[in-house]
Coordinates of all heavy atoms in Angstrom, one line a residue:
H1 N 100.3 98.3 90.3 CA 100.0 99.6 90.6 C 100.7 100.5 89.6 O 101.7 100.2 89.0 CB 100.5 99.9 92.0 CG 99.7 99.2 93.0 ND1 99.9 97.9 93.4 CD2 98.6 99.6 93.7 CE1 99.0 97.6 94.3 NE2 98.2 98.5 94.5
L2 N 100.2 101.8 89.5 CA 100.7 102.8 88.6 C 101.9 103.5 89.2 O 102.9 103.6 88.5 CB 99.6 103.7 88.3 CG 100.0 104.9 87.3 CD1 100.4 104.4 86.0 CD2 98.9 106.0 87.2
L3 N 101.8 103.9 90.5 CA 102.8 104.8 91.1 C 102.7 104.8 92.5 O 101.6 104.7 93.2 CB 102.5 106.2 90.6 CG 103.4 107.4 91.1 CD1 104.8 107.3 90.6 CD2 102.8 108.7 90.7
M4 N 103.8 104.8 93.3 CA 103.9 105.0 94.6 C 104.8 106.1 94.9 O 105.9 106.2 94.4 CB 104.5 103.7 95.4 CG 104.6 104.0 96.8 SD 105.5 102.7 97.7 CE 105.6 103.4 99.3
L5 N 104.4 107.0 95.7 CA 105.2 108.3 96.2 C 105.4 108.2 97.6 O 104.4 107.9 98.4 CB 104.4 109.5 95.8 CG 104.2 109.8 94.4 CD1 103.2 111.0 94.2 CD2 105.4 110.1 93.7
A6 N 106.6 108.4 98.1 CA 106.9 108.4 99.5 C 107.9 109.6 99.8 O 108.8 109.8 99.1 CB 107.5 107.1 100.0
T7 N 107.6 110.4 100.8 CA 108.4 111.5 101.1 C 108.2 112.0 102.6 O 107.2 111.6 103.2 CB 108.1 112.6 100.2 OG1 109.1 113.8 100.5 CG2 106.7 113.2 100.4
T8 N 109.2 112.8 103.0 CA 109.0 113.4 104.4 C 108.7 114.9 104.2 O 108.5 115.6 105.2 CB 110.3 113.3 105.2 OG1 111.4 113.9 104.4 CG2 110.6 111.9 105.6
L9 N 108.6 115.3 102.9 CA 108.2 116.7 102.7 C 106.8 117.0 102.8 O 106.0 116.1 102.7 CB 108.6 117.0 101.2 CG 110.1 116.9 100.8 CD1 110.3 117.1 99.3 CD2 111.0 117.8 101.6
E10 N 106.4 118.2 103.1 CA 105.1 118.7 103.3 C 104.4 118.7 102.0 O 103.1 118.4 101.9 CB 105.0 120.1 104.0 CG 105.4 120.1 105.5 CD 104.4 119.3 106.3 OE1 103.2 119.4 106.0 OE2 104.8 118.6 107.2
K11 N 105.1 119.2 101.0 CA 104.5 119.2 99.6 C 105.6 119.0 98.6 O 106.8 119.1 98.9 CB 103.8 120.6 99.3 CG 104.7 121.8 99.5 CD 103.8 123.0 99.4 CE 104.8 124.3 99.8 NZ 104.0 125.5 99.7
L12 N 105.2 118.6 97.4 CA 106.1 118.3 96.3 C 106.2 119.4 95.3 O 105.6 120.5 95.5 CB 105.7 117.0 95.6 CG 105.5 115.8 96.5 CD1 105.0 114.6 95.7 CD2 106.8 115.5 97.2
I13 N 106.8 119.2 94.2 CA 107.0 120.3 93.1 C 105.6 120.8 92.7 O 104.6 120.1 92.7 CB 107.7 119.7 91.9 CG1 108.2 120.7 91.0 CG2 107.0 118.6 91.2 CD1 109.2 120.3 89.9
L14 N 105.6 122.1 92.5 CA 104.3 122.8 92.1 C 103.3 122.8 93.2 O 102.1 122.9 92.9 CB 103.7 122.3 90.8 CG 104.7 122.4 89.5 CD1 104.1 121.7 88.3 CD2 105.1 123.8 89.3
G15 N 103.7 122.5 94.4 CA 102.8 122.6 95.5 C 101.9 121.3 95.6 O 100.9 121.4 96.4
A16 N 102.2 120.3 94.9 CA 101.3 119.1 95.0 C 101.4 118.4 96.3 O 102.5 118.4 97.0 CB 101.8 118.1 93.9
R17 N 100.3 118.0 96.8 CA 100.2 117.3 98.1 C 99.4 116.0 97.8 O 98.2 115.9 98.1 CB 99.5 118.1 99.1 CG 100.3 119.3 99.5 CD 99.6 120.2 100.4 NE 100.4 121.4 100.6 CZ 100.5 122.0 101.7 NH1 99.8 121.6 102.8 NH2 101.2 123.1 101.8
P18 N 100.1 114.9 97.2 CA 99.3 113.7 96.9 C 99.2 112.8 98.1 O 99.3 111.6 98.0 CB 100.2 113.1 95.8 CG 101.6 113.5 96.2 CD 101.4 114.9 96.7
F19 N 99.0 113.4 99.3 CA 98.8 112.5 100.5 C 97.5 112.9 101.1 O 97.2 114.1 101.2 CB 100.0 112.7 101.4 CG 101.3 112.5 100.6 CD1 102.0 113.6 100.3 CD2 101.7 111.3 100.3 CE1 103.2 113.5 99.6 CE2 102.9 111.1 99.6 CZ 103.6 112.3 99.2
W20 N 96.8 112.0 101.8 CA 95.5 112.3 102.5 C 95.4 111.3 103.6 O 96.2 110.4 103.8 CB 94.3 112.2 101.6 CG 94.2 110.8 100.9 CD1 93.4 109.8 101.5 CD2 94.8 110.3 99.8 NE1 93.5 108.7 100.6 CE2 94.3 109.0 99.6 CE3 95.7 110.8 98.8 CZ2 94.7 108.2 98.5 CZ3 96.1 110.0 97.8 CH2 95.6 108.7 97.7
G21 N 94.4 111.4 104.4 CA 94.1 110.5 105.5 C 94.9 110.7 106.8 O 95.1 109.9 107.6
G22 N 95.4 112.0 107.0 CA 96.1 112.4 108.2 C 97.5 112.2 108.1 O 98.1 111.6 107.2
R23 N 98.2 112.7 109.1 CA 99.7 112.6 109.2 C 100.1 112.2 110.6 O 100.2 113.0 111.5 CB 100.4 113.9 108.7 CG 101.9 113.8 108.8 CD 102.6 115.1 108.4 NE 103.9 114.9 108.6 CZ 104.9 115.0 107.6 NH1 104.5 115.3 106.4 NH2 106.1 114.9 107.9
Q24 N 100.3 110.9 110.8 CA 100.7 110.4 112.1 C 102.2 110.2 112.2 O 102.8 110.1 113.3 CB 100.0 109.1 112.4 CG 98.5 109.3 112.7 CD 97.7 109.4 111.3 OE1 98.1 108.8 110.3 NE2 96.7 110.1 111.3
G25 N 102.8 110.1 111.1 CA 104.3 109.9 111.1 C 105.1 110.7 110.2 O 104.5 111.4 109.3
P26 N 106.4 110.7 110.2 CA 107.2 111.6 109.3 C 107.3 111.2 107.9 O 107.5 112.1 107.0 CB 108.6 111.5 109.9 CG 108.6 110.2 110.6 CD 107.2 110.0 111.1
I27 N 107.0 110.0 107.5 CA 107.0 109.5 106.2 C 105.5 109.4 105.7 O 104.7 108.7 106.3 CB 107.7 108.1 106.0 CG1 109.1 108.1 106.5 CG2 107.7 107.7 104.5 CD1 109.8 106.9 106.6
R28 N 105.3 110.0 104.6 CA 103.9 109.9 104.0 C 104.1 109.2 102.6 O 105.0 109.4 101.9 CB 103.3 111.3 103.8 CG 103.1 112.0 105.1 CD 102.5 113.3 104.9 NE 101.0 113.0 104.9 CZ 100.1 113.9 104.8 NH1 100.4 115.1 104.7 NH2 98.8 113.6 104.7
A29 N 103.2 108.3 102.4 CA 103.2 107.5 101.2 C 101.8 107.4 100.6 O 100.9 107.2 101.3 CB 103.8 106.1 101.4
S30 N 101.7 107.4 99.3 CA 100.5 107.2 98.5 C 100.8 106.2 97.4 O 101.8 106.2 96.8 CB 99.9 108.5 98.0 OG 99.6 109.4 98.9
L31 N 99.7 105.3 97.2 CA 99.9 104.3 96.2 C 98.7 104.4 95.3 O 97.5 104.5 95.8 CB 99.8 102.9 96.9 CG 99.9 101.7 96.0 CD1 101.4 101.6 95.4 CD2 99.8 100.4 96.9
F32 N 98.9 104.5 94.0 CA 97.9 104.8 93.0 C 97.7 103.5 92.2 O 98.7 102.9 91.7 CB 98.2 106.0 92.1 CG 98.5 107.2 93.0 CD1 99.7 107.6 93.2 CD2 97.4 107.9 93.5 CE1 100.0 108.8 94.0 CE2 97.6 109.0 94.2 CZ 98.9 109.5 94.5
P33 N 96.4 103.1 92.0 CA 96.2 101.8 91.2 C 96.4 101.9 89.8 O 96.4 103.0 89.2 CB 94.7 101.6 91.6 CG 94.1 102.9 91.7 CD 95.2 103.8 92.3
Y34 N 96.5 100.7 89.2 CA 96.6 100.7 87.7 C 95.5 99.7 87.3 O 95.4 98.6 87.8 CB 97.9 100.2 87.2 CG 98.0 100.2 85.7 CD1 98.2 101.3 85.0 CD2 97.8 99.0 85.0 CE1 98.3 101.2 83.6 CE2 97.8 98.9 83.7 CZ 98.0 100.0 82.9 OH 98.1 99.9 81.6
P35 N 94.7 100.0 86.3 CA 94.7 101.2 85.6 C 93.8 102.2 86.4 O 92.8 101.8 87.1 CB 94.0 100.9 84.3 CG 93.2 99.8 84.5 CD 93.9 99.0 85.6
V36 N 94.1 103.5 86.4 CA 93.2 104.5 86.9 C 92.1 104.7 86.0 O 92.4 104.8 84.8 CB 94.0 105.9 87.2 CG1 93.1 106.9 87.7 CG2 95.2 105.6 88.1
P37 N 90.9 104.7 86.4 CA 89.7 104.8 85.5 C 89.8 106.0 84.5 O 89.5 105.8 83.3 CB 88.5 105.0 86.4 CG 89.0 104.5 87.8 CD 90.5 104.7 87.8
S38 N 90.2 107.2 84.9 CA 90.4 108.3 84.0 C 91.4 109.2 84.6 O 91.2 109.9 85.5 CB 89.0 109.0 83.9 OG 89.2 110.2 83.2
I39 N 92.7 109.1 84.1 CA 93.7 110.0 84.6 C 93.4 111.5 84.6 O 93.6 112.1 85.6 CB 95.1 109.7 83.9 CG1 95.6 108.3 84.3 CG2 96.1 110.8 84.2 CD1 96.8 107.9 83.6
P40 N 92.8 112.0 83.5 CA 92.5 113.4 83.6 C 91.4 113.8 84.6 O 91.6 114.8 85.3 CB 91.9 113.7 82.2 CG 92.5 112.7 81.3 CD 92.6 111.5 82.2
R41 N 90.5 112.9 84.9 CA 89.5 113.2 86.0 C 90.1 113.2 87.3 O 89.8 113.9 88.2 CB 88.4 112.2 85.9 CG 87.4 112.3 87.0 CD 86.3 111.2 86.9 NE 85.2 111.5 87.8 CZ 85.3 111.2 89.1 NH1 86.3 110.7 89.6 NH2 84.2 111.5 89.9
W42 N 91.1 112.2 87.6 CA 91.6 112.0 88.9 C 92.9 112.8 89.2 O 93.3 112.9 90.4 CB 91.8 110.5 89.2 CG 90.6 109.7 89.3 CD1 90.0 108.9 88.3 CD2 89.5 109.8 90.3 NE1 88.8 108.3 88.8 CE2 88.5 108.9 90.0 CE3 89.5 110.5 91.5 CZ2 87.4 108.7 90.8 CZ3 88.4 110.3 92.3 CH2 87.4 109.4 92.0
L43 N 93.6 113.2 88.2 CA 94.9 113.9 88.4 C 94.9 115.0 89.4 O 95.6 115.1 90.4 CB 95.5 114.3 87.1 CG 96.9 114.8 87.2 CD1 97.9 113.8 87.7 CD2 97.4 115.3 85.9
F44 N 94.1 116.0 89.1 CA 94.0 117.2 90.0 C 93.5 116.9 91.4 O 94.1 117.2 92.4 CB 93.1 118.3 89.4 CG 93.2 119.6 90.1 CD1 94.2 120.4 89.8 CD2 92.2 120.0 91.0 CE1 94.4 121.6 90.5 CE2 92.3 121.2 91.7 CZ 93.4 122.0 91.4
P45 N 92.4 116.1 91.6 CA 92.0 115.8 93.0 C 93.0 115.0 93.8 O 93.2 115.1 95.0 CB 90.7 115.0 92.8 CG 90.2 115.3 91.5 CD 91.3 115.6 90.6
M46 N 93.7 114.1 93.1 CA 94.7 113.3 93.9 C 96.0 114.1 94.2 O 96.6 113.8 95.2 CB 95.1 112.0 93.0 CG 94.1 111.0 93.0 SD 94.5 109.3 92.4 CE 95.4 109.6 90.9
M47 N 96.4 115.0 93.3 CA 97.6 115.7 93.7 C 97.3 117.1 94.5 O 98.3 117.5 95.1 CB 98.3 116.2 92.3 CG 98.7 114.9 91.5 SD 99.7 113.9 92.5 CE 101.2 113.7 91.4
Y48 N 96.2 117.6 94.4 CA 96.0 118.9 95.1 C 94.7 118.9 96.0 O 94.4 120.0 96.5 CB 95.8 120.0 94.0 CG 97.0 120.2 93.2 CD1 97.2 119.6 92.0 CD2 98.1 121.0 93.8 CE1 98.3 119.8 91.3 CE2 99.3 121.1 93.0 CZ 99.4 120.6 91.8 OH 100.6 120.8 91.1
G49 N 94.0 117.7 96.2 CA 92.9 117.8 97.0 C 93.2 117.9 98.5 O 94.4 117.9 98.9
G50 N 92.1 118.0 99.3 CA 92.3 118.1 100.8 C 92.4 116.7 101.5 O 92.3 115.7 100.7
E51 N 92.4 116.7 102.7 CA 92.4 115.5 103.4 C 91.3 114.5 103.2 O 91.4 113.3 103.3 CB 92.5 115.7 105.0 CG 93.9 116.2 105.4 CD 95.0 115.2 105.2 OE1 94.8 114.1 105.6 OE2 96.1 115.6 104.8
N52 N 90.1 115.1 102.9 CA 88.8 114.3 102.6 C 88.6 114.1 101.1 O 87.4 114.0 100.8 CB 87.7 114.9 103.4 CG 87.9 114.8 104.9 OD1 88.4 113.9 105.5 ND2 87.6 115.9 105.5
R53 N 89.6 114.2 100.3 CA 89.4 114.1 98.9 C 88.8 112.8 98.4 O 88.9 111.8 99.1 CB 90.7 114.3 98.2 CG 91.7 113.2 98.3 CD 93.1 113.5 97.7 NE 93.8 114.3 98.6 CZ 95.0 114.8 98.4 NH1 95.6 114.6 97.3 NH2 95.5 115.6 99.3
S54 N 88.2 112.8 97.2 CA 87.7 111.6 96.6 C 88.8 111.1 95.7 O 89.4 111.8 95.0 CB 86.5 112.1 95.7 OG 86.0 110.9 95.1
V55 N 89.0 109.7 95.9 CA 90.1 109.1 95.1 C 89.6 107.9 94.4 O 88.6 107.3 94.8 CB 91.3 108.7 96.0 CG1 92.0 109.9 96.6 CG2 90.9 107.8 97.2
P56 N 90.2 107.4 93.4 CA 89.7 106.2 92.7 C 89.9 105.0 93.6 O 90.7 104.9 94.5 CB 90.6 106.0 91.4 CG 91.9 106.8 91.8 CD 91.4 107.9 92.7
Q57 N 89.1 104.0 93.4 CA 89.0 102.7 94.1 C 90.5 102.1 94.0 O 91.0 102.0 93.0 CB 88.0 101.8 93.6 CG 87.9 100.5 94.4 CD 86.8 99.6 94.0 OE1 86.3 99.8 92.9 NE2 86.5 98.6 94.7
G58 N 91.0 101.7 95.2 CA 92.4 101.1 95.2 C 93.5 102.1 95.6 O 94.6 101.6 95.9
A59 N 93.2 103.4 95.5 CA 94.2 104.3 96.0 C 94.3 104.5 97.5 O 93.2 104.5 98.1 CB 94.0 105.7 95.3
I60 N 95.5 104.4 98.0 CA 95.6 104.5 99.5 C 96.7 105.5 99.8 O 97.6 105.8 99.0 CB 95.9 103.1 100.1 CG1 97.2 102.6 99.6 CG2 94.7 102.2 100.0 CD1 97.7 101.3 100.4
S61 N 96.6 106.1 101.0 CA 97.7 106.9 101.5 C 97.9 106.6 103.0 O 96.9 106.5 103.7 CB 97.2 108.4 101.3 OG 98.3 109.2 101.7
V62 N 99.1 106.4 103.4 CA 99.4 106.1 104.8 C 100.7 107.0 105.3 O 101.3 107.6 104.4 CB 99.9 104.6 104.9 CG1 98.7 103.7 104.6 CG2 101.1 104.3 104.0
S63 N 100.9 107.0 106.5 CA 102.1 107.6 107.1 C 102.6 106.8 108.2 O 101.9 106.0 108.8 CB 101.7 109.1 107.5 OG 100.9 109.1 108.7
G64 N 103.8 107.0 108.5 CA 104.5 106.2 109.6 C 106.0 106.5 109.7 O 106.5 107.4 109.0
T65 N 106.6 105.8 110.6 CA 108.1 106.0 110.7 C 108.9 105.0 109.9 O 110.1 105.1 109.7 CB 108.5 105.9 112.2 OG1 108.1 104.7 112.7 CG2 107.9 107.1 113.0
R66 N 108.1 103.9 109.5 CA 108.8 102.8 108.7 C 107.8 102.2 107.8 O 106.7 101.8 108.2 CB 109.4 101.8 109.7 CG 110.1 100.7 109.0 CD 110.6 99.7 110.1 NE 111.7 99.0 109.5 CZ 112.3 98.0 110.1 NH1 112.0 97.7 111.3 NH2 113.2 97.4 109.5
L67 N 108.2 102.0 106.5 CA 107.4 101.3 105.5 C 108.2 100.2 104.9 O 109.4 100.3 104.7 CB 106.9 102.3 104.4 CG 106.2 103.5 104.8 CD1 106.0 104.5 103.6 CD2 104.9 103.2 105.3
S68 N 107.6 99.1 104.6 CA 108.2 98.0 103.9 C 107.4 97.8 102.6 O 106.2 97.8 102.5 CB 108.0 96.7 104.7 OG 108.7 96.7 105.9
V69 N 108.3 97.7 101.5 CA 107.7 97.6 100.2 C 108.3 96.4 99.5 O 109.5 96.3 99.4 CB 108.0 98.9 99.4 CG1 107.4 98.8 97.9 CG2 107.4 100.1 100.0
I70 N 107.5 95.6 99.0 CA 107.9 94.4 98.2 C 107.6 94.8 96.7 O 106.4 94.9 96.3 CB 107.2 93.1 98.6 CG1 107.5 92.8 100.0 CG2 107.6 92.0 97.7 CD1 106.8 91.6 100.6
T71 N 108.7 94.8 95.9 CA 108.5 95.1 94.6 C 109.6 94.4 93.7 O 110.7 94.3 94.1 CB 108.6 96.7 94.3 OG1 108.4 96.9 92.9 CG2 109.9 97.2 94.7
P72 N 109.2 94.0 92.5 CA 110.2 93.4 91.6 C 110.7 94.4 90.6 O 111.6 94.1 89.8 CB 109.5 92.3 90.9 CG 108.1 92.9 90.8 CD 107.8 93.6 92.1
I73 N 110.2 95.6 90.7 CA 110.5 96.7 89.7 C 111.6 97.7 90.2 O 111.6 98.0 91.4 CB 109.2 97.4 89.4 CG1 108.2 96.4 88.8 CG2 109.5 98.5 88.4 CD1 106.8 97.0 88.7
T74 N 112.4 98.1 89.3 CA 113.4 99.2 89.6 C 112.7 100.4 90.2 O 111.6 100.8 89.7 CB 114.2 99.6 88.4 OG1 114.8 98.4 87.8 CG2 115.2 100.6 88.6
F75 N 113.3 101.0 91.2 CA 112.7 102.2 91.9 C 113.7 103.4 91.7 O 114.9 103.2 91.5 CB 112.3 101.9 93.3 CG 113.4 101.5 94.2 CD1 114.1 102.5 94.9 CD2 113.8 100.2 94.3 CE1 115.1 102.1 95.8 CE2 114.8 99.8 95.1 CZ 115.5 100.8 95.9
V76 N 113.1 104.6 92.0 CA 113.9 105.8 91.8 C 113.9 106.6 93.1 O 112.9 106.8 93.7 CB 113.3 106.7 90.7 CG1 114.1 108.0 90.6 CG2 113.1 106.0 89.4
I77 N 115.1 107.0 93.5 CA 115.4 107.9 94.7 C 116.1 109.1 94.2 O 117.3 108.9 93.7 CB 116.0 107.2 95.9 CG1 115.2 106.0 96.3 CG2 116.3 108.2 97.0 CD1 115.8 105.2 97.4
D78 N 115.6 110.3 94.3 CA 116.3 111.5 93.9 C 116.8 111.4 92.5 O 117.9 111.9 92.2 CB 117.4 111.9 94.9 CG 116.8 112.4 96.2 OD1 115.7 112.8 96.2 OD2 117.6 112.3 97.2
G79 N 116.0 110.8 91.6 CA 116.5 110.8 90.2 C 117.4 109.6 89.8 O 117.9 109.5 88.7
E80 N 117.8 108.9 90.8 CA 118.8 107.7 90.6 C 118.0 106.4 90.6 O 117.2 106.2 91.5 CB 119.9 107.8 91.6 CG 121.0 106.8 91.3 CD 122.2 107.0 92.2 OE1 122.3 108.0 92.9 OE2 123.0 106.1 92.2
F81 N 118.3 105.5 89.7 CA 117.6 104.2 89.6 C 118.3 103.2 90.5 O 119.5 103.1 90.4 CB 117.5 103.8 88.2 CG 116.6 104.6 87.3 CD1 117.0 105.8 86.8 CD2 115.3 104.2 87.1 CE1 116.2 106.6 86.1 CE2 114.4 105.0 86.4 CZ 114.8 106.2 85.9
F82 N 117.5 102.4 91.2 CA 118.0 101.3 92.0 C 117.3 99.9 91.8 O 116.1 100.0 91.5 CB 117.9 101.6 93.5 CG 118.7 102.8 93.9 CD1 118.2 104.1 93.9 CD2 120.1 102.7 94.3 CE1 118.9 105.2 94.3 CE2 120.9 103.7 94.7 CZ 120.3 105.0 94.6
E83 N 118.0 98.9 91.8 CA 117.3 97.6 91.8 C 116.8 97.2 93.2 O 117.5 97.5 94.2 CB 118.2 96.5 91.4 CG 118.7 96.6 89.9 CD 117.5 96.6 89.0 OE1 116.6 95.7 89.2 OE2 117.5 97.4 88.0
P84 N 115.6 96.6 93.3 CA 115.1 96.2 94.6 C 115.9 95.1 95.3 O 116.6 94.4 94.6 CB 113.6 95.7 94.3 CG 113.8 95.2 92.9 CD 114.7 96.2 92.3
P85 N 115.9 95.0 96.6 CA 116.6 94.0 97.3 C 116.0 92.6 96.9 O 114.9 92.5 96.7 CB 116.5 94.2 98.8 CG 115.5 95.3 98.9 CD 115.2 95.9 97.5
A86 N 116.9 91.6 96.7 CA 116.5 90.3 96.4 C 115.9 89.5 97.6 O 116.5 89.6 98.7 CB 117.7 89.5 95.8
D87 N 114.8 88.9 97.5 CA 114.3 88.0 98.5 C 113.9 88.7 99.9 O 113.9 88.1 100.9 CB 115.3 86.8 98.9 CG 115.5 86.1 97.6 OD1 114.6 85.9 96.7 OD2 116.7 85.5 97.5
Q88 N 113.8 90.0 99.8 CA 113.3 90.8 101.0 C 112.6 92.0 100.6 O 112.7 92.5 99.5 CB 114.5 91.0 102.0 CG 115.6 91.8 101.3 CD 116.6 92.0 102.4 OE1 116.5 91.9 103.6 NE2 117.9 92.2 101.9
A89 N 111.9 92.7 101.5 CA 111.2 93.9 101.3 C 112.2 95.1 101.4 O 113.2 95.0 102.1 CB 110.2 94.1 102.3
L90 N 111.9 96.1 100.6 CA 112.7 97.4 100.7 C 112.2 98.1 101.9 O 110.9 98.3 102.1 CB 112.3 98.2 99.4 CG 112.9 99.6 99.4 CD1 114.4 99.6 99.3 CD2 112.3 100.4 98.2
Q91 N 113.1 98.6 102.8 CA 112.7 99.2 104.0 C 112.9 100.7 103.8 O 114.0 101.2 103.4 CB 113.6 98.7 105.2 CG 113.5 97.3 105.5 CD 112.1 96.8 105.9 OE1 111.4 97.6 106.7 NE2 111.6 95.7 105.4
I92 N 111.9 101.4 104.1 CA 111.9 103.0 104.1 C 111.7 103.4 105.5 O 110.7 103.2 106.1 CB 110.8 103.5 103.1 CG1 111.0 102.9 101.7 CG2 110.9 105.0 103.1 CD1 109.7 103.2 100.8
E93 N 112.7 104.2 106.0 CA 112.8 104.5 107.4 C 113.0 106.0 107.6 O 113.8 106.6 106.8 CB 113.7 103.7 108.2 CG 113.5 102.3 108.2 CD 114.6 101.5 109.0 OE1 115.6 102.1 109.4 OE2 114.4 100.3 109.2
A94 N 112.4 106.6 108.6 CA 112.7 108.0 108.9 C 114.1 108.0 109.6 O 114.5 107.1 110.4 CB 111.7 108.5 109.8
G95 N 115.0 109.0 109.2 CA 116.2 109.1 109.8 C 116.3 110.2 110.8 O 115.2 110.7 111.3
P96 N 117.5 110.7 111.1 CA 117.6 111.8 112.1 C 117.1 113.1 111.5 O 117.0 113.3 110.4 CB 119.1 111.9 112.4 CG 119.7 111.3 111.2 CD 118.8 110.3 110.7
I97 N 116.6 114.0 112.5 CA 116.2 115.3 112.1 C 117.3 116.3 112.3 O 117.9 116.4 113.3 CB 115.0 115.7 113.0 CG1 113.8 114.8 112.8 CG2 114.6 117.2 112.7 CD1 112.6 115.0 113.7
F98 N 117.5 117.1 111.2 CA 118.6 118.1 111.2 C 118.0 119.5 111.2 O 117.0 119.7 110.5 CB 119.5 117.9 110.0 CG 120.3 116.7 109.9 CD1 119.9 115.6 109.2 CD2 121.5 116.5 110.7 CE1 120.6 114.4 109.2 CE2 122.2 115.4 110.7 CZ 121.7 114.3 109.9
T99 N 118.6 120.4 111.9 CA 118.2 121.8 111.9 C 119.4 122.6 111.2 O 120.5 122.5 111.6 CB 118.0 122.3 113.3 OG1 117.0 121.5 113.9 CG2 117.6 123.8 113.3
Y100 N 119.0 123.2 110.2 CA 120.0 124.0 109.4 C 119.9 125.5 109.9 O 118.8 126.1 110.0 CB 119.8 123.9 107.9 CG 120.0 122.5 107.4 CD1 118.9 121.6 107.3 CD2 121.2 122.1 107.0 CE1 119.1 120.4 106.8 CE2 121.5 120.8 106.6 CZ 120.4 119.9 106.5 OH 120.6 118.7 106.0
V101 N 121.0 126.1 110.1 CA 121.1 127.5 110.6 C 121.9 128.2 109.6 O 123.0 127.8 109.2 CB 121.8 127.6 112.0 CG1 121.8 129.0 112.4 CG2 121.1 126.7 113.0
C102 N 121.3 129.4 109.1 CA 122.0 130.2 108.1 C 122.4 131.4 108.8 O 121.7 132.0 109.6 CB 121.1 130.5 107.0 SG 120.6 129.1 106.0
G103 N 123.6 131.9 108.6 CA 123.9 133.1 109.2 C 125.3 133.5 109.1 O 126.3 133.1 108.6

Protein backbone atom coordinates (compact mmCIF):
# COMPACT_ATOMS: atom_id res chain seq x y z
CA HIS A 1 0.00 0.00 0.00
CA LEU A 2 1.05 3.58 -0.59
CA LEU A 3 -0.35 5.29 2.50
CA MET A 4 -2.60 4.80 5.52
CA LEU A 5 -4.05 7.77 7.37
CA ALA A 6 -5.83 7.44 10.72
CA THR A 7 -7.14 10.27 12.88
CA THR A 8 -9.89 11.41 15.22
CA LEU A 9 -9.91 14.87 13.61
CA GLU A 10 -12.75 16.06 11.38
CA LYS A 11 -10.30 17.37 8.78
CA LEU A 12 -6.56 17.51 8.21
CA ILE A 13 -4.16 20.27 7.13
CA LEU A 14 -5.49 22.56 4.37
CA GLY A 15 -9.01 21.26 5.03
CA ALA A 16 -8.31 17.82 3.54
CA ARG A 17 -10.87 15.12 4.35
CA PRO A 18 -9.41 11.87 2.99
CA PHE A 19 -12.18 9.78 4.57
CA TRP A 20 -15.44 8.53 3.10
CA GLY A 21 -18.05 5.86 3.68
CA GLY A 22 -19.67 7.37 6.78
CA ARG A 23 -18.53 7.96 10.32
CA GLN A 24 -19.65 5.37 12.83
CA GLY A 25 -16.68 5.59 15.22
CA PRO A 26 -14.26 8.21 16.58
CA ILE A 27 -11.25 6.91 14.59
CA ARG A 28 -11.35 7.31 10.82
CA ALA A 29 -8.81 5.56 8.63
CA SER A 30 -8.16 5.42 4.90
CA LEU A 31 -5.85 3.04 3.04
CA PHE A 32 -4.54 3.97 -0.39
CA PRO A 33 -3.26 1.26 -2.78
CA TYR A 34 0.10 1.11 -4.51
CA PRO A 35 0.52 1.87 -7.26
CA VAL A 36 -2.23 4.42 -7.66
CA PRO A 37 -3.11 4.43 -11.39
CA SER A 38 -2.60 8.21 -11.68
CA ILE A 39 -1.71 10.29 -8.60
CA PRO A 40 -2.57 13.65 -10.26
CA ARG A 41 -6.00 12.30 -11.32
CA TRP A 42 -6.88 10.82 -7.90
CA LEU A 43 -5.21 13.25 -5.46
CA PHE A 44 -7.92 15.93 -5.36
CA PRO A 45 -10.94 13.54 -5.26
CA MET A 46 -9.36 11.38 -2.53
CA MET A 47 -8.38 14.33 -0.33
CA TYR A 48 -11.32 16.68 -0.84
CA GLY A 49 -14.21 14.63 -2.24
CA GLY A 50 -17.55 13.97 -0.57
CA GLU A 51 -18.83 10.80 1.08
CA ASN A 52 -19.75 9.29 -2.31
CA ARG A 53 -16.47 10.12 -4.04
CA SER A 54 -14.91 8.03 -6.76
CA VAL A 55 -11.69 6.34 -5.58
CA PRO A 56 -9.15 4.05 -7.26
CA GLN A 57 -9.64 0.31 -6.97
CA GLY A 58 -8.21 -0.97 -3.68
CA ALA A 59 -8.70 2.27 -1.70
CA ILE A 60 -10.78 1.80 1.44
CA SER A 61 -11.99 4.01 4.28
CA VAL A 62 -13.30 2.75 7.63
CA SER A 63 -14.16 4.08 11.06
CA GLY A 64 -14.43 2.55 14.49
CA THR A 65 -13.25 2.68 18.09
CA ARG A 66 -10.36 0.24 17.54
CA LEU A 67 -8.19 -0.71 14.56
CA SER A 68 -5.53 -3.41 14.27
CA VAL A 69 -2.74 -2.90 11.74
CA ILE A 70 -0.12 -5.48 10.81
CA THR A 71 2.88 -3.82 9.19
CA PRO A 72 6.61 -4.53 8.96
CA ILE A 73 7.29 -0.86 8.14
CA THR A 74 8.21 2.03 10.44
CA PHE A 75 5.21 4.28 11.13
CA VAL A 76 4.86 7.96 12.06
CA ILE A 77 2.78 9.50 14.87
CA ASP A 78 2.85 13.30 15.18
CA GLY A 79 6.11 13.48 13.24
CA GLU A 80 7.91 10.87 15.35
CA PHE A 81 9.04 7.54 13.85
CA PHE A 82 8.29 4.23 15.60
CA GLU A 83 9.07 0.60 14.87
CA PRO A 84 6.05 -1.73 14.67
CA PRO A 85 5.49 -4.25 17.46
CA ALA A 86 7.17 -7.60 16.81
CA ASP A 87 4.92 -10.63 16.25
CA GLN A 88 1.64 -8.77 16.84
CA ALA A 89 -0.63 -6.15 15.33
CA LEU A 90 -0.36 -2.44 16.09
CA GLN A 91 -3.48 -1.46 18.07
CA ILE A 92 -5.03 1.95 17.42
CA GLU A 93 -7.70 2.78 20.00
CA ALA A 94 -9.86 5.77 20.89
CA GLY A 95 -8.94 7.25 24.25
CA PRO A 96 -10.86 9.45 26.67
CA ILE A 97 -12.62 12.61 25.48
CA PHE A 98 -11.40 15.86 26.99
CA THR A 99 -13.22 19.17 27.05
CA TYR A 100 -10.96 22.21 27.09
CA VAL A 101 -12.28 25.39 28.68
CA CYS A 102 -10.61 28.72 27.96
CA GLY A 103 -11.25 31.65 30.19
